[in-house]
Amino acid sequence: MASHQIDSELNSLKGAVETALDFAKSLGTDAAEMAVSKQQGLSVSTRQKQVETVEFNKDGALGITVYRDGCKGSSSTSDLSVEAIKQAVKAADDIARFTSEDPCNGLADAELMAKVNTDLQLYYPADVDAEQLTELAIRAETSVLDFDNKIKASDGASANAHTGLKVYGNSHGFLEGYCSSRFSLSCVAIGEDSQGGMQRDYEYTVARKYHELEAAELIGSKAAKKTVARLDARKIATGKMPVLLSPEIATGLIGHFVGAISGSSLYRKSTFLLDALNTQVFPEWFNIEEQPHLIGGLASANFDSEGVATQDRMIVDNGLLMSYLLTSYSARKLSMQNTGHAGGIYNWTLGHTGQTFDELVKQMGTGLIVTEVMGQGVNTVTGDYSRGAAGFYVENGQIIHPVEEITMAGNLKQMYSGIQAVAKDRDLRSSIRTGGILLDSMQIAGS
């Protein structure tokens, strides 16, 4: 979408939000907030180099929340005509008149609103059509199928191009918006070993700019290489051993930490990190820095979904938990300060210990590299962790054979405090930017 078109779209959405806010005020509500988003995207999936689906989507909706005497009412409408907006605002106000009063309801405090809306360069339009995305997916699949005779099939590839606009406004007078773009390509390979055992693995790339996607051929060959490496997998003996999490799995480990320090978990007392602020959760050298304003970052934003200004902050400093993740509601429930985390986290970057992932394999000596986890066996109330896993058994710093059908178990609190190292070659494809993580010991259930 051209620059003048996107500006026109943004102004149109701001006008819709302004209309809703003005009408809410005329009804005598105490406060109101409105958020509207529009997404447009094209997705192509192929299988065995044949087009399987082509999907185009264009949708959006205005979300409306009004507050009256400590009561809250919400509604939404995808029709942005003035009459439809007024009807939706009236519906939200009617709902607020019948809900229970909650003193923690309301907008985020006015002084926390973002004062600037700098260009974080999140929007890079590209004139990409279905034919181009199809070609991209087929090139990835071709690379898979040409890789090795142990690769028996491609389990499909998917190429996607999406753009979006978001506008948020409230009765403090805050009214801002921004646009973003995201492109991605993924591919899955299926391999077969000499005994007829089958394995599959995948690879993907994601970027704000279409031309910054990794080459389709590289994505296909990476998926195939990972699949071939998993062939002839077997179990290992039950016991305790060090575990090295691949970057993708390490991201998930830190994702559990995100949930544990989120305000909703805290005020419900459903987290193992209750009352853990300013206590040692990780080793003394361990750091997590939040960087919301990284130019072109996949999780960058000037403000959260309540208009609160985002800011650089140390989430973990020298192993100490420095901040919970609080919205206006959870902050009031806990009698604490809003941290601007309505809607998620913003570019968490983990500090590293200087080694590459391969160097951590050697440092581990004998242990297990985990490249896949399965199941939902994580209890955030107690921190108990038990999940199916697959990966590679390592002896004397060398990979011996692939491993499957095992379970790794522990407790998140001990897992976090038992982190031995973080690799410097980070995976930057999500809101948690980390390299592989080496854990001192976990219980492995095998044969």
Side-chain angles (χ1 to χ4, degrees), residues 8-18 36-38 62 80 165-167 175:
S8 176
E9 281 270 20
L10 269 175
N11 289 331
S12 175
L13 295 184
K14 285 182 179 180
V17 168
E18 206 160 18
V36 62
S37 63
K38 272 195 173 182
L62 172 66
L80 299 185
L165 298 92
K166 292 183 179 180
V167 172
L175 179 59

Side-chain angles (χ1 to χ4, degrees), residues 134-428:
T134 299
E135 184 211 1
L136 208 62
I138 289 176
R139 280 166 49 201
E141 285 203 287
T142 300
S143 182
V144 165
L145 296 168
D146 291 347
F147 183 81
D148 190 296
N149 59 12
K150 293 179 182 177
I151 296 296
K152 297 306 178 184
S154 162
D155 201 25
S158 177
N160 308 277
H162 291 278
T163 58
L165 298 92
K166 292 183 179 180
V167 172
Y168 172 82
N170 62 34
S171 47
H172 289 322
F174 183 89
L175 179 59
E176 291 289 355
Y178 62 93
C179 45
S180 62
S181 58
R182 185 177 293 248
F183 305 92
S184 64
L185 171 67
S186 62
C187 190
V188 183
I190 298 174
E192 183 178 6
D193 59 35
S194 58
Q195 305 302 312
M198 308 289 284
Q199 295 288 347
R200 68 199 296 271
D201 214 322
Y202 72 98
E203 185 58 44
Y204 74 99
T205 177
V206 59
R208 293 284 187 194
K209 302 177 183 178
Y210 180 70
H211 70 267
E212 288 187 353
L213 290 174
E214 284 192 67
E217 291 77 11
L218 184 60
I219 295 303
S221 62
K222 282 184 176 180
K225 183 178 180 180
K226 288 163 71 173
T227 299
V228 170
R230 294 181 62 161
L231 294 175
D232 299 305
R234 51 188 188 270
K235 292 183 181 181
I236 55 175
T238 295
K240 280 194 170 184
M241 64 182 66
V243 167
L244 176 57
L245 304 178
S246 70
E248 297 93 335
I249 308 305
T251 297
L253 178 68
I254 302 303
H256 298 310
F257 175 64
V258 173
I261 64 171
S262 295
S264 58
S265 297
L266 293 161
Y267 71 72
R268 293 186 177 109
K269 301 187 186 301
S270 60
T271 170
F272 67 98
L273 289 178
L274 199 64
D275 301 321
L277 203 60
N278 299 313
T279 67
Q280 198 81 37
V281 177
F282 295 91
E284 291 184 359
W285 51 265
F286 188 92
N287 297 304
I288 300 177
E289 183 179 5
E290 185 166 53
Q291 301 168 292
H293 307 138
L294 289 179
I295 297 300
L298 291 176
S300 294
N302 287 300
F303 52 88
D304 74 354
S305 59
E306 295 182 312
V308 176
T310 55
Q311 57 184 288
D312 290 351
R313 70 174 73 229
M314 294 302 295
I315 303 297
V316 177
D317 190 8
N318 295 323
L320 296 172
L321 174 58
M322 305 303 294
S323 176
Y324 286 142
L325 310 178
L326 305 179
T327 64
S328 58
Y329 184 84
S330 60
R332 291 181 188 122
K333 291 284 283 187
L334 295 164
S335 300
M336 298 179 74
Q337 179 69 47
N338 187 328
T339 63
H341 284 97
I345 62 172
Y346 307 96
N347 301 321
W348 278 20
T349 302
L350 273 67
H352 61 76
T353 46
Q355 308 95 323
T356 65
F357 187 85
D358 290 342
E359 288 168 344
L360 287 186
V361 174
K362 291 182 171 59
Q363 179 178 323
M364 178 170 63
T366 296
L368 183 68
I369 299 172
V370 173
T371 59
E372 182 182 14
V373 290
M374 295 149 274
Q376 304 297 320
V378 182
N379 186 329
T380 55
V381 178
T382 63
D384 289 339
Y385 183 102
S386 178
R387 303 187 73 181
F392 301 90
Y393 178 64
V394 175
E395 277 187 4
N396 299 318
Q398 299 293 321
I399 293 176
I400 304 301
H401 62 78
V403 173
E404 65 179 357
E405 295 181 5
I406 60 169
T407 300
M408 64 176 192
N411 183 277
L412 286 170
K413 210 163 190 177
Q414 281 71 55
M415 290 164 72
Y416 293 150
S417 64
I419 292 176
Q420 299 297 295
V422 179
K424 65 181 180 181
D425 34 0
R426 297 186 178 109
D427 185 345
L428 306 180

